[in-house]
Amino acid sequence: MTLKHIKIFVTVYQEESITRAAEKLRMTQPATSLAIRELEEYYHTKLFERSGRGIRVTSAGSQLYPNAVRLLSLYDEMDAEMKNWDTSGRLRIGSSISIGSCILPQLISRFTKEYPELDLYVNVDSSDVIEQNVLENHLDFALIEGSVHSEKLKASVFLDDELVPVCSRFHPLAGAENVELDSLKNEHFLMREPHSGTRQLADSSFALKNFQIRPTWESTSTAALINAVSIGLGISILPKRMLEKQLRMHQIGSFTIRDMDLKRHYSLIYHENKFVSPTMERFFEMLTELRND
């Protein structure tokens, strides 16, 4: 058994397909299948079973996977260390969509000026996808909003934020304070997708008041929602940091809801087994500096 066998197994597990794994690894399908058979012979157990035209992981395969991912992670860290990763290696950073839109670009700009030789990879997606990528070592660390769902992740707050109810500047609610929740029952809600941190906080906060949001629009694009709100297609609940320009220029209106707490935190997350390199530590320091600005 070699590390190559482990890498092939992890890729097949993640792709749920010998064919797709072979394409991703730039190997032939027979060579990929052979590696899996050799691994199964080594452990004297089946790791995958054929299911129709695809494959299905066995309980033994499910048990092997987290240890295999951890082993590859340790190898990657060793390899990076030997290649002088602190100044010229690769750093993989994840971010939720809200943070990736309004905070991360400035951070990356500052960071690349300090480490011009460092190869940076940035992945912006919904919080749940980013969290899973950190767990599977596709990302070194990430910045997300909302709650962390795995005990294997370390999390620390680096910035405070809040959500703001917004509407068209011509809407009767524009500028209103302490709006009763019941008065929103007939409004069209334009919301982020269900698994985003923004949507999860909005849904949970409204649910505490026995109010269920039933969106007429859902989008991964905050900009699309802001545009829809501005022309009067409905109301939305969006991050304050992403609305500063539009509110300042009176392109949209805002209002407050009685007894509704929409405050939240932005968090830094990384795997509990992750070795924190000097470059990662420097990025973490920049997050602290951002909080103190």
Side-chain angles (χ1 to χ4, degrees), residues 147-164:
S147 302
V148 175
H149 302 95
S150 173
E151 296 180 353
K152 293 184 179 295
L153 294 178
K154 290 187 176 181
S156 59
V157 173
F158 71 89
L159 204 60
D160 297 321
D161 190 29
E162 64 179 305
L163 303 185
V164 177

Side-chain angles (χ1 to χ4, degrees), residues 206-221:
F206 276 68
L208 288 174
K209 302 294 183 180
N210 297 315
F211 187 102
Q212 183 178 0
I213 296 176
R214 294 184 175 86
T216 56
W217 273 44
E218 289 182 331
S219 175
T220 59
S221 170

Side-chain angles (χ1 to χ4, degrees), residues 258-281:
R258 183 183 299 277
D259 299 326
M260 181 67 71
D261 182 12
L262 293 171
K263 291 182 174 60
R264 66 174 180 176
H265 305 294
Y266 290 155
S267 296
L268 160 70
I269 64 170
Y270 56 94
H271 197 283
E272 62 181 3
N273 294 328
K274 191 69 181 177
F275 179 81
V276 179
S277 69
T279 47
M280 288 174 62
E281 287 181 347

